[in-house]
Amino acid sequence: MKHETKKLGAPKAVAPKPALRRFHQARWDEPIIFELSVAGQRGVLPPEPEAAVVEAAGDVFDNLPESLKRKSAPALPEMSQLHVLRHYARLSQENLGVDLNVDVGQGTCTMKYSPKVNDQLARSHKLTDLHPLQPLSTVQGILEVMYKLEGMLKEISGMDHVTLQPGAGSAAIYANVAMIRAYHEARGEGGQRTEVITTSFSHPSNGAAAKVAGYKIITLPPDADGYPDFEALKAAVSERTAALLITNPEDTGIFNPRIEEFVNLVHSVGGLCSYDQANANGILGITRARDAGFDVCHFNLHKTFSTPHACGGPAAGACGVTKEVAPFLPTPTVEFDGEKYYLDFNRPQSVGKIRPWYGVAPNLLRAYAWIMSLGADGLREVAEIAALNNNYLMHNVLKIRGVSAPYAKGKRRVEQVRYSWEQLTNDTGVHSEEIGFRVADFGSHYWLSHHPFVVPEPMTLEPTESYSREDLDEYARILNHIAEEAYTNPEILHTAPHNSTIHKIDQESFDDPDAWAVTWRAYQRKLKK
Amino acid sequence: MTRIGLIVNPLAGIGGRVGLKGSDGIETQRRALELGATPEAPQRAALSLLPLFQFDPTLEVFTPPLEMGETSVRQAGFAPNVIGGIRPSATTAEDTRQAARELAARGVDLILFAGGDGTARDICAALPAQFPCLGIPAGVKIHSAVYATNPKHAGELAAMFLQGKARLREAEVLDLDEAAYRDGRVNVRLYGTLFVPHRPLLLQNQKMPSPESEAYQAEAIAAEVVEQMQAGVAYILAPGTTTRAVAQALNVEKTLVGVDVVRDGELIAKDVTQAQLLNLLETMPAKIIVTPIGGQGFLFGRGNQQIGAEVIRKVGRGNIIVVGTADKLRALRMQPLLVDTGDTEVDKLIEGYFAVVTGYRESMMYKVVA
Ligand SMILES: Cc1ncc(COP(=O)(O)O)c(C=O)c1O
């Protein structure tokens, strides 16, 4: 039944465009939590147990095997609750993100709104109290959610089977490569098929995952129009080809209309084709991996299907495969016998586990809720609005001095565009990276490109369906203002950011393993010698 | 006490303003002056010293007299320590080399030099290995990766280096054959390497890999190539830093700008000519390991003429291994690699796609055209 929408009267006259946002980020100069530790400080002081309890329980440590007992206390920071809270509240103020700013600058990452109602579902005790080792009869609800989510993703991709086990996109690509390897091995061609082909503008996780799985990687460059070079593919395929791993649309936002020819050529030499659909946001309900002939595909549920990105995990990935590849799916699969849901561990040809348990349950629930709230028509509308937003933003960005959108001139893009500031750099000496620093001064974020920079002085924008026209105008206004600054006062860019938490990061050390420290212990060992 | 050296090639860039595509050779310089060109290099050198003066006005600056440095040093506010002698208005490449030798002998911490590719070649010829130096861009031709993006950046980068905030990287010295260039032909050659301070954004060629990532890429390529090497096959190593990495992986010393041959992990011929290669091919199977040189992306026919058409024909297309870091390929902007061996048939043979080895178990399909 349709709800009556309340008439709001005639639309108001369009307000004049607001000036640039005045923004200044918090800067707390906050130490690392380990540096805040004060010996003896505690968050909780549990009371001494009552005598009767002690008597009944005895020495609980007696029952622990020797091998499980710590020899020394864990080296955790010692802090009061207030100080812990304050620490993280401060860090959160030194951050940007989709809940805070117009986050269209993080191209390829599909920064869309994660509806808070789905977070509420995921935080419900009905989910958070579950343990993966509970008897299946007591977790029928979440198994049903997984089973039905798989069904919806089958429909969206056209594939015969889906697994939700991978923890993110790269893990899903790895799962696909592992299945492809198992497929060739099962046919006695494992030793022969040693090469995987990918493209310059496909996400680098494709090549990386295949390499981790032991393959040699051959990359196809873009042709003059920005499509992967079909002639290069012809020269690359052979009886050694295990698979083609490809994104479409690629990171340029250009959809490759010849994708079926690519797939057919690889099939003709016995290779499989894997479709990286992490960026499916612009094609939901419009094209399907299966219809283009692919054997396997994957989605990032933390992009297209709105679950939080979670910055390194846990996110959520999903792989779709044809029935020919299905025997190799990770173990276990979630099945339904007509009455109850169960886990099938009896899968002799399976590649095994891709991650512990059965998938990132809270995110699977979020993705399920998101799809259910939109329905099939709603998903298609998501794709249409995402593409519309992107082309609207591109239209405005291309009016800005010094910027261009290389390749496919005059054609529309799907859900994102990789722009180039090369002209501006030549004119002013200002680099794209510096523009990115300056964008932070206006409370937004901006990303360049994966390496290597095939598009010079790159910038990748992906506005998704979540942003309003005002949001997109604001972002374009920021870029326009900064481009004008580059032509009139480049120094302000060379010294940017000015209003951000951190002035400038010394990137010099990023390539130097001796200078990395991703844990407190490594930091002490390497840098505090 | 921190000490730096400055060498200015006063005639650098003089040909550019009057459309001469370079300033090498006394004849060109005379013509440029006749056409009304005025030396700009001393001015650019002074500009680059300003950030250094701001950083530390008590720096000791050693420099040759007058337009070869002294003038610029004074202009920037320093009191120069003048070394050696020159003939004003008649300086030569030998003056640059002599000054570089003297400054190195005095043990300065860093030598700044203003010029172009020709000047970089002179510095490269004169300085001891791995001596820290940095180019101030003032020449017409700048293909060498030893120059900062502009004079001011050169000074800033130098100041960072002196404070220990920038490390040294090995950078290629490349130059065009100017006589050919003035006739419309492009012929870039590798002449050697210099060790220059590195900071992202301040060296020409932004997004150049850092010293580490560049070295890792070359090492990864070498690991792949060495792993694929077959017993009894001679490997002809073309000039270049990437092919040198292959030699390094074998613990063999490579002639950077020449062609060497290895077999079964041993060096069997050093700095060979085409005739020597042809002789060698009579006696054993061989493969060629080659990397595109410089910004033009020539695979064969420039800077590696020893591996001529005859050699390539004998070795065969299937036995050519092309290596190149992903960053070098990117710098070519996906433009095809070029081949001009002087033999149309051989050029045709090489045309088409190669899987260029870009890392360990990694390659990129790349097109070659004649
Ligand atoms: C096209 C594409 N594929 C794969 C990935 C990798 O996904 P994840 O970051 O979840 O590992 C990404 C994410 O950046 C992507 O954009």
Side-chain angles (χ1 to χ4, degrees), chain A residues 107-110 167-173 201-206 247 249 251 276-279 298 300 302-303 309 315-317 416 450 462:
Chain A
T108 82
C109 287
T110 316
S170 309
I173 298 172
F201 287 133
S202 286
H203 193 275
S205 284
N206 290 284
T247 317
D251 281 2
D276 175 348
Q277 295 213 284
N279 297 339
H298 95 273
N300 283 12
H302 50 291
K303 292 184 174 175
H309 284 62
Q416 63 185 328
H450 301 115
E462 182 187 10

Side-chain angles (χ1 to χ4, degrees), chain A residues 132 146 164-167 330-332 345 352-361 364:
Chain A
M146 290 179 181
L164 301 172
Q165 202 177 96
T331 305
F345 285 90
K353 280 194 168 296
I354 292 299
R355 92 185 281 285
W357 315 119
Y358 327 114
V360 183
L364 301 181

Side-chain angles (χ1 to χ4, degrees), chain A residues 21 23 25 94-111 309 311 393 397 419 421 432-449 458-463 467 471-472 474-476 478-479 482 497 500 505 507:
Chain A
R21 186 180 299 278
F23 167 82
Q25 194 158 28
E94 299 183 328
N95 212 345
L96 290 173
V98 70
D99 288 352
L100 210 53
N101 55 278
V102 182
D103 210 6
V104 309
Q106 182 70 22
T108 82
C109 287
T110 316
M111 304 311 293
H309 284 62
C311 210
L393 183 65
V397 168
Y419 299 91
W421 289 103
S432 179
E433 198 167 13
E434 296 169 306
I435 298 176
F437 293 146
R438 184 71 177 137
V439 167
D441 283 340
F442 299 99
S444 264
H445 173 252
Y446 169 107
W447 185 67
L448 298 102
S449 156
M459 155 177 87
T460 314
L461 308 182
E462 182 187 10
Y467 302 93
D471 290 337
L472 302 180
E474 174 175 347
Y475 201 87
I478 294 172
L479 292 180
I482 294 173
S500 193
I505 301 169
Q507 303 194 357

Side-chain angles (χ1 to χ4, degrees), chain A residues 14-206:
Chain A
V14 178
K17 297 225 162 127
L20 279 182
R21 186 180 299 278
R22 288 172 37 162
F23 167 82
H24 202 298
Q25 194 158 28
R27 176 178 194 159
W28 287 101
D29 205 11
E30 186 68 2
I32 293 171
I33 194 162
F34 287 92
E35 294 170 313
L36 293 169
S37 176
V38 178
Q41 245 185 40
R42 287 292 176 271
V44 182
L45 288 176
E48 288 294 328
E50 290 158 30
V53 174
V54 174
E55 200 170 313
D59 186 348
V60 287
F61 294 110
D62 272 356
N63 295 330
L64 279 181
E66 246 346 272
S67 61
L68 285 185
K69 287 186 194 167
R70 301 190 69 104
K71 304 286 172 283
S72 56
L76 294 173
E78 299 175 62
M79 293 172 75
S80 75
Q81 290 187 21
L82 173 60
H83 288 107
V84 174
L85 176 69
R86 201 191 268 163
H87 175 68
Y88 287 107
R90 285 176 177 174
L91 293 188
S92 76
Q93 291 183 356
E94 299 183 328
N95 212 345
L96 290 173
V98 70
D99 288 352
L100 210 53
N101 55 278
V102 182
D103 210 6
V104 309
Q106 182 70 22
T108 82
C109 287
T110 316
M111 304 311 293
K112 62 170 68 180
Y113 177 57
S114 300
K116 298 307 157 215
V117 64
N118 298 344
D119 284 347
Q120 284 175 9
L121 289 175
R123 291 203 184 116
S124 150
H125 73 91
K126 291 183 189 172
L127 186 68
T128 57
D129 288 355
L130 297 185
H131 190 283
L133 284 180
Q134 266 175 248
L136 292 185
S137 63
T138 66
V139 290
Q140 287 291 304
I142 188 69
L143 289 180
E144 180 180 347
V145 165
M146 290 179 181
Y147 188 83
K148 290 191 167 159
L149 177 58
E150 287 179 4
M152 297 188 289
L153 294 173
K154 277 192 230 169
E155 193 60 39
I156 291 168
S157 62
M159 292 297 181
D160 298 323
H161 291 270
V162 164
T163 177
L164 301 172
Q165 202 177 96
S170 309
I173 298 172
Y174 181 79
N176 279 338
V177 175
M179 286 188 269
I180 288 167
R181 192 178 52 191
Y183 170 90
H184 290 307
E185 278 167 4
R187 298 159 60 94
E189 295 183 350
Q192 156 199 340
R193 301 203 176 264
T194 54
E195 295 174 354
V196 157
I197 302 170
T198 184
T199 74
S200 284
F201 287 133
S202 286
H203 193 275
S205 284
N206 290 284

Side-chain angles (χ1 to χ4, degrees), chain B residues 85-99:
Chain B
I86 59 165
R87 282 175 45 220
S89 305
T91 53
T92 64
E94 182 47 33
D95 289 322
T96 300
R97 292 192 284 264
Q98 180 55 28

Side-chain angles (χ1 to χ4, degrees), chain A residues 211 214 216 229 422 456 511, chain B residues 210 224 333 353 360-362:
Chain A
K211 199 160 166 189
K216 287 201 172 196
D229 187 342
E422 188 175 29
D511 288 325
Chain B
S210 67
E224 172 67 19
R333 319 201 54 168
Y353 287 87
Y360 182 65
R361 311 191 124 233
E362 282 175 29

Side-chain angles (χ1 to χ4, degrees), chain B residues 71-87:
Chain B
T71 319
S72 315
V73 174
R74 286 194 195 284
Q75 215 181 326
F78 289 107
N81 298 299
V82 179
I83 55 157
I86 59 165
R87 282 175 45 220

